[in-house]
């Protein structure tokens, strides 16, 4: 039976890095990943030069935090991507845009429209059946106000 003191510290750091990377698959946020990188950095440095446990921990924490601060935002964009909904929400709506009703709008209930490739909840002052092309009047948080094209935004 192998005793823990007989196991190479380099191997322990490498395996702990694998554990951190495995945990990243279970936990959201892209943070634990960088502790795995820090553990691998500690293993690499320890492989080339022997050092105390305190030094190993400093290398682990320093490398983890440095990678977290410098690389997280870049890697988050690469791996998690950007959502079309967020880009669509942040983009101001043109005053004369048109959309297509894809779910009946029966005031005061909301319906749905397809606008610029995204689906939006929509409200209107008059009932609008599915398939109607409507004019986008304004955006109110995550809901857009629409009206028939013949009103030219009046209402």
């Amino acid at each position: 039976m192998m005793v823990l003191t007989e196991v190479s510290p380099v191997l322990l750091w490498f395996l702990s890095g694998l554990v951190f990377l495995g945990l990243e698959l279970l936990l959201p946020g892209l943070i634990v990943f960088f502790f795995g990188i820090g553990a691998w950095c500690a293993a690499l440095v320890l492989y080339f030069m022997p050092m105390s446990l305190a030094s190993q921990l400093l290398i682990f924490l320093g490398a983890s935090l440095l990678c977290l601060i410098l690389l997280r935002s870049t890697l988050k964009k690469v791996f998690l991507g950007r959502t079309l909904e967020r880009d669509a929400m942040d983009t101001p709506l043109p005053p004369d845009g048109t959309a297509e009703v894809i779910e009946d709008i029966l005031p005061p209930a909301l319906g749905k429209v397809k606008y610029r490739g995204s689906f939006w909840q929509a409200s209107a002052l008059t009932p609008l059946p599915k398939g109607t092309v409507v004019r986008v009047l304004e955006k109110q948080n995550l809901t857009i106000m629409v009206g028939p094209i013949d009103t030219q935004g009046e209402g």
Side-chain angles (χ1 to χ4, degrees):
M1 182 167 161
M2 189 184 308
V3 180
L4 189 59
T5 57
E6 296 174 9
V7 177
S8 166
V10 174
L11 180 61
L12 288 176
W13 279 113
F14 181 79
L15 293 176
S16 64
L18 285 177
V19 169
F20 282 122
L21 293 177
L23 283 173
E24 181 61 45
L25 297 174
L26 301 173
L27 302 171
L30 196 63
I31 293 176
V32 180
F33 171 80
F34 296 103
F35 290 104
I37 299 299
W40 283 353
C41 288
L44 185 65
V45 171
L46 186 60
Y47 181 76
F48 289 109
M49 73 173 76
M51 60 182 61
S52 68
L53 180 60
S55 298
Q56 295 172 37
L57 290 173
L58 282 175
I59 290 173
F60 165 68
L61 288 174
S64 298
L65 293 176
L66 187 66
C67 288
L68 179 67
I69 291 168
L70 295 178
L71 301 175
R72 182 171 185 258
S73 64
T74 303
L75 289 179
K76 196 171 181 181
K77 288 176 191 171
V78 170
F79 289 115
L80 301 178
R82 297 180 187 207
T83 60
L84 291 175
E85 293 82 19
R86 168 156 286 175
D87 291 343
M89 288 181 345
D90 294 340
T91 305
L93 298 176
D96 61 349
T98 58
E100 180 184 354
V101 177
I102 60 166
E103 183 180 291
D104 293 345
I105 303 172
L106 303 170
L110 298 177
K112 288 193 179 171
V113 296
K114 184 175 182 182
Y115 176 67
R116 296 176 68 189
S118 296
F119 298 99
W120 293 77
Q121 286 189 338
S123 64
L125 297 175
T126 59
L128 298 168
K130 179 179 178 179
T132 306
V133 176
V134 293
R135 182 167 309 284
V136 176
L137 304 174
E138 64 180 296
K139 180 173 97 173
Q140 302 165 343
N141 297 324
L142 296 177
T143 304
I144 57 176
M145 179 75 162
V146 296
I149 287 186
D150 57 13
T151 64
Q152 298 295 322
E154 294 176 10

